Amino acid sequence: MGDRNIILVGAPGSGKGTQAKRLLDAYGLQQISTGDMLRSARRAGTELGERTQAYMDAGKLVPDDLIIELMRARLAEADVRNGFVLDGFPRTGAQAMALDRMLQDGGRALSHVFVVDVSDDVIVERITGRLSCPSCGFVHHVRFSPPREPGVCGRCGASGLYQREDDTEAKVRVRLSAYASVREEVIPHYSAQGLVTWIDGLQPPDVVFAEIRSVLETEAS
Ligand code: AP5
């Protein structure tokens, strides 16, 4: 069996981060979340963090050149050699083509692209109720998966679960319109390569994961 190099595609709040953490815990596949990387850069006060802050705060896409360079550096790191899960990248046709070249240059290939499909009407409720862990990035939801102890991460035990600054209803609407480039450019790009599996993201997280898992295990056996 070859390496599992997976892309999770989905609208904001579709559950990409939720499933990426499960893939990390079940298979040891490194989660590469461009959103998490940009938020860390911002917390660390780096130049990248400063240059991307206004785009993120507005819910708009960060320019391709910044994101592609970020991804090129991340994919060169040793911990992703045995498989990774991309969460939030690529989001444009240019990013998808740049990724193809990066992987080809490194002698690697994608194994699966899962599109986690969710209707727009549930997204606002999911995102405005999300609680993110400041330490491991795990997400809870005030209603759908509340933490056992208020404010405390159920995965790593860190305290201080917080609401992201772009998780307001108004910003979610802008983020949803930015998803058009994924729908129109990214999904067709990978469909043409025969890599896409659609998953019904309206099901509970465990059921979504069981479907992803069954595709991975069927193809591995
Ligand atoms: P990013 O951080 O990638 O945000 P996003 O794509 O909007 O996705 P989210 O993290 O909001 O949602 P998710 O799908 O991971 O859902 P989650 O699992 O948390 O990007 C942020 C910003 O960074 C962008 O707006 C842009 O500015 C910039 N950026 C990042 N990458 C970029 C790129 N490549 N190019 C340009 N700009 C880029 O779940 C959401 C909630 O729902 C949680 O509370 C969870 O508990 C709950 N939930 C999850 N699954 C289920 C389920 N099945 N049933 C019920 N509840 C569920």
Side-chain angles (χ1 to χ4, degrees):
M1 185 197 68
D3 287 338
R4 290 183 172 122
N5 295 325
I6 296 170
I7 301 181
L8 291 178
V9 176
S14 56
K16 303 181 294 294
T18 299
Q19 298 304 324
K21 283 280 180 290
R22 281 169 162 74
L23 286 163
L24 171 64
D25 292 343
Y27 297 104
L29 302 173
Q30 280 304 319
Q31 175 189 11
I32 305 181
S33 158
T34 37
D36 286 350
M37 290 161 82
L38 293 170
R39 282 183 287 277
S40 306
R42 184 167 170 173
R43 277 195 297 276
T46 66
E47 192 194 334
L48 177 71
E50 276 174 31
R51 288 177 71 185
T52 53
Q53 178 164 346
Y55 296 100
M56 294 183 76
D57 283 351
K60 294 183 175 160
L61 291 183
V62 165
D64 284 337
D65 55 338
L66 296 177
I67 291 288
I68 289 168
E69 280 322 302
L70 182 70
M71 187 54 63
R72 194 186 307 283
R74 183 68 185 93
L75 282 177
E77 289 176 22
D79 65 333
V80 301
R81 297 240 169 88
N82 295 324
F84 55 75
V85 181
L86 299 183
D87 158 11
F89 178 93
R91 274 168 139 103
T92 64
Q95 292 181 18
M97 283 187 275
L99 176 64
D100 284 352
R101 285 193 293 274
M102 280 179 229
L103 293 175
Q104 216 166 20
D105 292 348
R108 289 185 278 187
L110 292 169
S111 59
H112 302 85
V113 176
F114 292 104
V115 180
V116 185
D117 192 27
V118 171
S119 50
D120 288 4
D121 51 340
V122 302
I123 283 172
V124 172
E125 187 183 14
R126 280 198 189 176
I127 287 192
T128 53
R130 171 166 52 191
L131 297 170
S132 303
C133 173
S135 178
C136 76
F138 185 75
V139 286
H140 284 279
H141 189 280
V142 287
R143 203 152 76 81
F144 305 135
S145 55
R148 209 165 277 170
E149 203 182 322
V152 177
C153 176
R155 180 169 181 266
C156 75
S159 55
L161 294 178
Y162 70 100
Q163 191 173 25
R164 271 170 41 181
E165 290 187 26
D166 58 347
D167 278 356
T168 63
E169 181 166 352
K171 286 177 187 169
V172 172
R173 304 256 174 232
V174 180
R175 286 160 61 195
L176 275 173
S177 57
Y179 187 65
S181 59
V182 176
R183 214 180 279 118
E184 290 159 18
E185 300 169 22
V186 175
I187 297 174
H189 180 86
Y190 293 117
S191 293
Q193 297 179 21
L195 289 171
V196 171
T197 304
W198 288 79
I199 305 280
D200 176 3
L202 291 174
Q203 306 172 100
D206 287 347
V207 179
V208 174
F209 187 60
E211 281 198 14
I212 291 175
R213 195 168 198 155
S214 93
V215 173
L216 296 177
E217 308 277 329
T218 307
E219 292 179 8
S221 59

